[in-house]
Amino acid sequence: MEDIEDIVAAAGEAPSLRLPVAAGVGLKPRRKTMARRIGDGLNSSPSSQIPGTQIIYMKTFGCSHNQSDSEYMAGQLSAFGYAVSDNPDEADLWLINTCTVKSPSQSAMDTLISKCKNVNKPLVVAGCVPQGSRDLKELEGVSVIGVQQIDRVVEVVEETLKGHEVRLLSRKTLPALDLPKVRRNKFIEILPINVGCLGACTYCKTKHARGHLGSYTVNGLVERVRTVITEGVKEIWLSSEDTGAYGRDIGANLPVLLKAIVAELPSDRSTMLRIGMTNPPFILEHLEEIAEVLRHPCVYSFLHVPVQSGSDSVLGAMNREYTVSDFRTVVDTLNRLVPGMQFATDIICGFPGETDEDFKQTVDLIKEYQFPQVHISQFYPRPGTPAARMKKVPSTIVKRRSRELTSVFESFSPYQGMEGQIEIIWITEIATDGIHLVGHTKGYIQVLVIAPDTMLGTSTKVKITSVGRWSVFGEVLEFPKQTNNDNFLGNPTIETPSYPNSCDQLVCSREASLCSCTAQTCGGQSNSKKHEEVPTHAIVGTSIARKWKSKTLASSFQSIFHRKRRSQVSEKPSDGQAMQTVEKQEEEINTGKFTTFDWILLAGIAASSLTIITLLVLLSSNTVSI
């Protein structure tokens, strides 16, 4: 079947402009049996509905670049009237944005596709899997859209809802940066600075999908930074398959881009910059300039530099184009030039040909540097890559090495000694425990604090009260005099559930992964992050920082009610009166007052407790009588 490339027929039309489909384009009607199944599974035939009135379920796998692509697709669909949902049951169409980095993530995609077909829903598969593996059996009978055609997602969705099978995979130009966008977290802008890479790693499937390096212009990226800052973004993540390679195809380089972006950041440090994953070869010649940028007050002193192995022979087999000595130079130089510098790295265990001595060198390297973040993966051969044809290490050995390295890594205490330190943190989200807010230090160390939700999108001073293996806990020392009470009343968000077979999420955090596609290219489940077990003393110690200071059982219940009510009032008000209600509820939350609803809940709890006690007394009495 031919790929369609002529849906937008008029030359020069803006991307995603919906035009009538010209005759003869590469649309393939579904087989009658499939069309009948889809029609039977919906309340009404999709083709009979008005375009732009349907609900679209979106699921995203993979790296931060994939997350950004999903946000752009959601923005365009929302702009044309579609409702984007995280509930598959209520959706009229499913859109799955896929990752080809590891076999488990692709297997999860296969399962989701089968589920979608079983419930008779129209389906669009986007991302790296269809782009890099066009002839997969699992993609038969479904619409697909590639990584560089996200600006035409509306057309693909519309045609799919009409019962057509669409394939849109041929590359032309990079998608525009100013497309409509619905951010997963409205305070965080994931900014793709380039696609593809210059490498040729023998294990990498992502190169098949993302292709050769293609960089956005410095001016285009700077203009995007200006725009998102005016929209209230507080963190900008530079994302790509290899950030360090930026600009080599257009006569620029990463330091030039970074200096131009930093010049646009507010001097009050209200918006921070995070530099994305970079492989060692392409920053070796710019280390001093990179260090200068990392020292800037508005740039996190953090870098993700994959090493993949501590053995030069394994790196050679991987075709990584650097040595362990090169990696050491990067880490040692930046540690020397940047105060408080923090690193994350990646390891692939059991690459073909890896000997016990090779693995020992990897373990020794990790022991030497004791990185706070190490993404540990087992090797999985990806179809079509040179490594897939290499002689494999037995799976039992691969698993044993992965467990051993994980044990070594988890023996470190990277944040030991931070207790009592005063740090400035930038707060951007609620932790997955629903209690803490998540902030990060200048070195991008994750700090969990108990504070009102109105502090989201702000920076503050905290005192570190205790440390965990994966993050630290802090007590807020400074509360903003004025906070924005409608922080959660802004842009709608896409919730992307965690998936253990993709790049790991930050601990107790809903953030997109730190790693990029080439960082976790062939691994199993990463072992570098786990949910932080929140110690009781940390909760008690930091709870003093709350504005409402919960010291009694009643005020503890009140804090729970407040947290639940926040999730309720985050809904958009339907009219002016609803807005007043939201403002009143927020005022009550911030002043710590009980509402009638709170008293009713407390009365209910008290009545239930009294009933239970009475029943226990009666049962005890009956037992004694017998």
PDB file of all heavy atoms in Angstrom, residues 106-132:
ATOM      1  N   GLN A 106       7.863  -2.429  23.135  1.00  0.00           N
ATOM      2  CA  GLN A 106       7.145  -2.784  21.910  1.00  0.00           C
ATOM      3  C   GLN A 106       6.139  -3.893  22.180  1.00  0.00           C
ATOM      4  O   GLN A 106       5.063  -3.915  21.586  1.00  0.00           O
ATOM      5  CB  GLN A 106       8.125  -3.198  20.816  1.00  0.00           C
ATOM      6  CG  GLN A 106       7.461  -3.382  19.455  1.00  0.00           C
ATOM      7  CD  GLN A 106       8.447  -3.393  18.316  1.00  0.00           C
ATOM      8  OE1 GLN A 106       9.470  -2.712  18.346  1.00  0.00           O
ATOM      9  NE2 GLN A 106       8.164  -4.166  17.288  1.00  0.00           N
ATOM     10  N   SER A 107       6.468  -4.799  23.089  1.00  0.00           N
ATOM     11  CA  SER A 107       5.509  -5.849  23.457  1.00  0.00           C
ATOM     12  C   SER A 107       4.281  -5.243  24.129  1.00  0.00           C
ATOM     13  O   SER A 107       3.152  -5.690  23.898  1.00  0.00           O
ATOM     14  CB  SER A 107       6.179  -6.860  24.401  1.00  0.00           C
ATOM     15  OG  SER A 107       7.240  -7.522  23.760  1.00  0.00           O
ATOM     16  N   ALA A 108       4.494  -4.229  24.954  1.00  0.00           N
ATOM     17  CA  ALA A 108       3.362  -3.548  25.590  1.00  0.00           C
ATOM     18  C   ALA A 108       2.484  -2.877  24.542  1.00  0.00           C
ATOM     19  O   ALA A 108       1.256  -2.860  24.658  1.00  0.00           O
ATOM     20  CB  ALA A 108       3.870  -2.530  26.601  1.00  0.00           C
ATOM     21  N   MET A 109       3.128  -2.327  23.501  1.00  0.00           N
ATOM     22  CA  MET A 109       2.373  -1.740  22.400  1.00  0.00           C
ATOM     23  C   MET A 109       1.531  -2.806  21.699  1.00  0.00           C
ATOM     24  O   MET A 109       0.347  -2.578  21.393  1.00  0.00           O
ATOM     25  CB  MET A 109       3.334  -1.100  21.397  1.00  0.00           C
ATOM     26  CG  MET A 109       2.661  -0.555  20.146  1.00  0.00           C
ATOM     27  SD  MET A 109       3.725  -0.608  18.673  1.00  0.00           S
ATOM     28  CE  MET A 109       3.704  -2.368  18.297  1.00  0.00           C
ATOM     29  N   ASP A 110       2.116  -3.970  21.454  1.00  0.00           N
ATOM     30  CA  ASP A 110       1.389  -5.057  20.793  1.00  0.00           C
ATOM     31  C   ASP A 110       0.148  -5.444  21.596  1.00  0.00           C
ATOM     32  O   ASP A 110      -0.931  -5.667  21.036  1.00  0.00           O
ATOM     33  CB  ASP A 110       2.299  -6.274  20.621  1.00  0.00           C
ATOM     34  CG  ASP A 110       3.472  -5.999  19.696  1.00  0.00           C
ATOM     35  OD1 ASP A 110       3.407  -5.005  18.952  1.00  0.00           O
ATOM     36  OD2 ASP A 110       4.452  -6.767  19.736  1.00  0.00           O
ATOM     37  N   THR A 111       0.321  -5.522  22.912  1.00  0.00           N
ATOM     38  CA  THR A 111      -0.807  -5.879  23.780  1.00  0.00           C
ATOM     39  C   THR A 111      -1.913  -4.835  23.684  1.00  0.00           C
ATOM     40  O   THR A 111      -3.102  -5.173  23.620  1.00  0.00           O
ATOM     41  CB  THR A 111      -0.329  -5.996  25.238  1.00  0.00           C
ATOM     42  OG1 THR A 111       0.684  -7.019  25.316  1.00  0.00           O
ATOM     43  CG2 THR A 111      -1.476  -6.351  26.163  1.00  0.00           C
ATOM     44  N   LEU A 112      -1.520  -3.574  23.668  1.00  0.00           N
ATOM     45  CA  LEU A 112      -2.511  -2.493  23.603  1.00  0.00           C
ATOM     46  C   LEU A 112      -3.237  -2.497  22.255  1.00  0.00           C
ATOM     47  O   LEU A 112      -4.446  -2.257  22.192  1.00  0.00           O
ATOM     48  CB  LEU A 112      -1.819  -1.152  23.844  1.00  0.00           C
ATOM     49  CG  LEU A 112      -2.708   0.008  24.305  1.00  0.00           C
ATOM     50  CD1 LEU A 112      -3.437  -0.348  25.593  1.00  0.00           C
ATOM     51  CD2 LEU A 112      -1.872   1.272  24.505  1.00  0.00           C
ATOM     52  N   ILE A 113      -2.508  -2.772  21.183  1.00  0.00           N
ATOM     53  CA  ILE A 113      -3.135  -2.846  19.863  1.00  0.00           C
ATOM     54  C   ILE A 113      -4.165  -3.972  19.826  1.00  0.00           C
ATOM     55  O   ILE A 113      -5.279  -3.803  19.318  1.00  0.00           O
ATOM     56  CB  ILE A 113      -2.067  -3.035  18.766  1.00  0.00           C
ATOM     57  CG1 ILE A 113      -1.239  -1.759  18.597  1.00  0.00           C
ATOM     58  CG2 ILE A 113      -2.720  -3.421  17.435  1.00  0.00           C
ATOM     59  CD1 ILE A 113      -0.097  -1.901  17.613  1.00  0.00           C
ATOM     60  N   SER A 114      -3.801  -5.118  20.372  1.00  0.00           N
ATOM     61  CA  SER A 114      -4.742  -6.250  20.408  1.00  0.00           C
ATOM     62  C   SER A 114      -5.979  -5.908  21.215  1.00  0.00           C
ATOM     63  O   SER A 114      -7.111  -6.233  20.826  1.00  0.00           O
ATOM     64  CB  SER A 114      -4.050  -7.481  21.008  1.00  0.00           C
ATOM     65  OG  SER A 114      -2.969  -7.892  20.208  1.00  0.00           O
ATOM     66  N   LYS A 115      -5.781  -5.240  22.331  1.00  0.00           N
ATOM     67  CA  LYS A 115      -6.919  -4.846  23.166  1.00  0.00           C
ATOM     68  C   LYS A 115      -7.830  -3.895  22.414  1.00  0.00           C
ATOM     69  O   LYS A 115      -9.061  -4.000  22.473  1.00  0.00           O
ATOM     70  CB  LYS A 115      -6.423  -4.202  24.457  1.00  0.00           C
ATOM     71  CG  LYS A 115      -7.539  -3.826  25.417  1.00  0.00           C
ATOM     72  CD  LYS A 115      -6.975  -3.238  26.703  1.00  0.00           C
ATOM     73  CE  LYS A 115      -8.111  -2.831  27.651  1.00  0.00           C
ATOM     74  NZ  LYS A 115      -7.574  -2.222  28.909  1.00  0.00           N
ATOM     75  N   CYS A 116      -7.224  -2.955  21.691  1.00  0.00           N
ATOM     76  CA  CYS A 116      -8.013  -1.986  20.926  1.00  0.00           C
ATOM     77  C   CYS A 116      -8.834  -2.694  19.849  1.00  0.00           C
ATOM     78  O   CYS A 116     -10.014  -2.388  19.653  1.00  0.00           O
ATOM     79  CB  CYS A 116      -7.086  -0.951  20.290  1.00  0.00           C
ATOM     80  SG  CYS A 116      -7.947   0.363  19.401  1.00  0.00           S
ATOM     81  N   LYS A 117      -8.223  -3.642  19.161  1.00  0.00           N
ATOM     82  CA  LYS A 117      -8.954  -4.378  18.127  1.00  0.00           C
ATOM     83  C   LYS A 117     -10.082  -5.210  18.733  1.00  0.00           C
ATOM     84  O   LYS A 117     -11.157  -5.336  18.150  1.00  0.00           O
ATOM     85  CB  LYS A 117      -7.986  -5.270  17.354  1.00  0.00           C
ATOM     86  CG  LYS A 117      -7.010  -4.497  16.465  1.00  0.00           C
ATOM     87  CD  LYS A 117      -6.073  -5.432  15.728  1.00  0.00           C
ATOM     88  CE  LYS A 117      -5.121  -4.676  14.807  1.00  0.00           C
ATOM     89  NZ  LYS A 117      -4.181  -5.579  14.104  1.00  0.00           N
ATOM     90  N   ASN A 118      -9.834  -5.754  19.917  1.00  0.00           N
ATOM     91  CA  ASN A 118     -10.851  -6.581  20.565  1.00  0.00           C
ATOM     92  C   ASN A 118     -12.084  -5.784  20.971  1.00  0.00           C
ATOM     93  O   ASN A 118     -13.192  -6.324  21.012  1.00  0.00           O
ATOM     94  CB  ASN A 118     -10.260  -7.283  21.793  1.00  0.00           C
ATOM     95  CG  ASN A 118      -9.283  -8.385  21.420  1.00  0.00           C
ATOM     96  OD1 ASN A 118      -9.338  -8.922  20.319  1.00  0.00           O
ATOM     97  ND2 ASN A 118      -8.373  -8.707  22.334  1.00  0.00           N
ATOM     98  N   VAL A 119     -11.882  -4.504  21.301  1.00  0.00           N
ATOM     99  CA  VAL A 119     -13.030  -3.676  21.691  1.00  0.00           C
ATOM    100  C   VAL A 119     -13.572  -2.880  20.498  1.00  0.00           C
ATOM    101  O   VAL A 119     -14.403  -1.983  20.663  1.00  0.00           O
ATOM    102  CB  VAL A 119     -12.663  -2.720  22.845  1.00  0.00           C
ATOM    103  CG1 VAL A 119     -12.333  -3.505  24.096  1.00  0.00           C
ATOM    104  CG2 VAL A 119     -11.512  -1.789  22.470  1.00  0.00           C
ATOM    105  N   ASN A 120     -13.049  -3.194  19.293  1.00  0.00           N
ATOM    106  CA  ASN A 120     -13.593  -2.619  18.057  1.00  0.00           C
ATOM    107  C   ASN A 120     -13.494  -1.095  17.998  1.00  0.00           C
ATOM    108  O   ASN A 120     -14.452  -0.408  17.639  1.00  0.00           O
ATOM    109  CB  ASN A 120     -15.058  -3.039  17.876  1.00  0.00           C
ATOM    110  CG  ASN A 120     -15.216  -4.542  17.800  1.00  0.00           C
ATOM    111  OD1 ASN A 120     -14.358  -5.230  17.248  1.00  0.00           O
ATOM    112  ND2 ASN A 120     -16.293  -5.050  18.375  1.00  0.00           N
ATOM    113  N   LYS A 121     -12.342  -0.566  18.364  1.00  0.00           N
ATOM    114  CA  LYS A 121     -12.127   0.875  18.303  1.00  0.00           C
ATOM    115  C   LYS A 121     -11.203   1.212  17.127  1.00  0.00           C
ATOM    116  O   LYS A 121     -10.225   0.488  16.876  1.00  0.00           O
ATOM    117  CB  LYS A 121     -11.487   1.376  19.600  1.00  0.00           C
ATOM    118  CG  LYS A 121     -12.302   1.114  20.853  1.00  0.00           C
ATOM    119  CD  LYS A 121     -13.346   2.178  21.085  1.00  0.00           C
ATOM    120  CE  LYS A 121     -14.055   1.919  22.417  1.00  0.00           C
ATOM    121  NZ  LYS A 121     -14.693   3.103  22.953  1.00  0.00           N
ATOM    122  N   PRO A 122     -11.467   2.288  16.408  1.00  0.00           N
ATOM    123  CA  PRO A 122     -10.502   2.749  15.408  1.00  0.00           C
ATOM    124  C   PRO A 122      -9.172   3.074  16.088  1.00  0.00           C
ATOM    125  O   PRO A 122      -9.150   3.543  17.230  1.00  0.00           O
ATOM    126  CB  PRO A 122     -11.154   4.020  14.844  1.00  0.00           C
ATOM    127  CG  PRO A 122     -12.604   3.889  15.174  1.00  0.00           C
ATOM    128  CD  PRO A 122     -12.675   3.142  16.461  1.00  0.00           C
ATOM    129  N   LEU A 123      -8.075   2.844  15.384  1.00  0.00           N
ATOM    130  CA  LEU A 123      -6.756   2.955  16.007  1.00  0.00           C
ATOM    131  C   LEU A 123      -5.774   3.666  15.090  1.00  0.00           C
ATOM    132  O   LEU A 123      -5.724   3.413  13.892  1.00  0.00           O
ATOM    133  CB  LEU A 123      -6.228   1.551  16.332  1.00  0.00           C
ATOM    134  CG  LEU A 123      -4.794   1.441  16.857  1.00  0.00           C
ATOM    135  CD1 LEU A 123      -4.644   2.125  18.207  1.00  0.00           C
ATOM    136  CD2 LEU A 123      -4.385  -0.035  16.964  1.00  0.00           C
ATOM    137  N   VAL A 124      -4.984   4.558  15.694  1.00  0.00           N
ATOM    138  CA  VAL A 124      -3.858   5.194  15.010  1.00  0.00           C
ATOM    139  C   VAL A 124      -2.608   4.901  15.833  1.00  0.00           C
ATOM    140  O   VAL A 124      -2.579   5.144  17.046  1.00  0.00           O
ATOM    141  CB  VAL A 124      -4.042   6.722  14.891  1.00  0.00           C
ATOM    142  CG1 VAL A 124      -2.788   7.361  14.285  1.00  0.00           C
ATOM    143  CG2 VAL A 124      -5.264   7.049  14.041  1.00  0.00           C
ATOM    144  N   VAL A 125      -1.591   4.355  15.187  1.00  0.00           N
ATOM    145  CA  VAL A 125      -0.317   4.074  15.850  1.00  0.00           C
ATOM    146  C   VAL A 125       0.710   5.075  15.329  1.00  0.00           C
ATOM    147  O   VAL A 125       0.940   5.174  14.126  1.00  0.00           O
ATOM    148  CB  VAL A 125       0.148   2.634  15.589  1.00  0.00           C
ATOM    149  CG1 VAL A 125       1.509   2.392  16.243  1.00  0.00           C
ATOM    150  CG2 VAL A 125      -0.870   1.635  16.125  1.00  0.00           C
ATOM    151  N   ALA A 126       1.307   5.817  16.246  1.00  0.00           N
ATOM    152  CA  ALA A 126       2.281   6.846  15.889  1.00  0.00           C
ATOM    153  C   ALA A 126       3.642   6.489  16.469  1.00  0.00           C
ATOM    154  O   ALA A 126       3.790   5.524  17.214  1.00  0.00           O
ATOM    155  CB  ALA A 126       1.810   8.207  16.416  1.00  0.00           C
ATOM    156  N   GLY A 127       4.651   7.274  16.106  1.00  0.00           N
ATOM    157  CA  GLY A 127       5.940   7.164  16.761  1.00  0.00           C
ATOM    158  C   GLY A 127       6.964   6.291  16.077  1.00  0.00           C
ATOM    159  O   GLY A 127       6.889   5.998  14.879  1.00  0.00           O
ATOM    160  N   CYS A 128       7.931   5.822  16.869  1.00  0.00           N
ATOM    161  CA  CYS A 128       9.125   5.175  16.332  1.00  0.00           C
ATOM    162  C   CYS A 128       8.882   3.771  15.789  1.00  0.00           C
ATOM    163  O   CYS A 128       9.580   3.334  14.872  1.00  0.00           O
ATOM    164  CB  CYS A 128      10.203   5.126  17.414  1.00  0.00           C
ATOM    165  SG  CYS A 128      10.867   6.755  17.855  1.00  0.00           S
ATOM    166  N   VAL A 129       7.923   3.036  16.349  1.00  0.00           N
ATOM    167  CA  VAL A 129       7.722   1.658  15.891  1.00  0.00           C
ATOM    168  C   VAL A 129       7.263   1.612  14.430  1.00  0.00           C
ATOM    169  O   VAL A 129       7.894   0.944  13.605  1.00  0.00           O
ATOM    170  CB  VAL A 129       6.747   0.902  16.813  1.00  0.00           C
ATOM    171  CG1 VAL A 129       6.362  -0.437  16.189  1.00  0.00           C
ATOM    172  CG2 VAL A 129       7.387   0.666  18.180  1.00  0.00           C
ATOM    173  N   PRO A 130       6.171   2.295  14.053  1.00  0.00           N
ATOM    174  CA  PRO A 130       5.790   2.232  12.642  1.00  0.00           C
ATOM    175  C   PRO A 130       6.804   2.883  11.711  1.00  0.00           C
ATOM    176  O   PRO A 130       6.974   2.450  10.573  1.00  0.00           O
ATOM    177  CB  PRO A 130       4.444   2.975  12.603  1.00  0.00           C
ATOM    178  CG  PRO A 130       4.448   3.855  13.796  1.00  0.00           C
ATOM    179  CD  PRO A 130       5.206   3.089  14.842  1.00  0.00           C
ATOM    180  N   GLN A 131       7.515   3.927  12.224  1.00  0.00           N
ATOM    181  CA  GLN A 131       8.500   4.587  11.384  1.00  0.00           C
ATOM    182  C   GLN A 131       9.700   3.685  11.123  1.00  0.00           C
ATOM    183  O   GLN A 131      10.241   3.655  10.016  1.00  0.00           O
ATOM    184  CB  GLN A 131       8.974   5.878  12.048  1.00  0.00           C
ATOM    185  CG  GLN A 131       9.840   6.747  11.147  1.00  0.00           C
ATOM    186  CD  GLN A 131       9.035   7.462  10.095  1.00  0.00           C
ATOM    187  OE1 GLN A 131       8.275   8.376  10.398  1.00  0.00           O
ATOM    188  NE2 GLN A 131       9.182   7.067   8.844  1.00  0.00           N
ATOM    189  N   GLY A 132      10.112   2.916  12.136  1.00  0.00           N
ATOM    190  CA  GLY A 132      11.294   2.079  11.994  1.00  0.00           C
ATOM    191  C   GLY A 132      11.013   0.661  11.556  1.00  0.00           C
ATOM    192  O   GLY A 132      11.926  -0.044  11.108  1.00  0.00           O
TER     193      GLY A 132
END
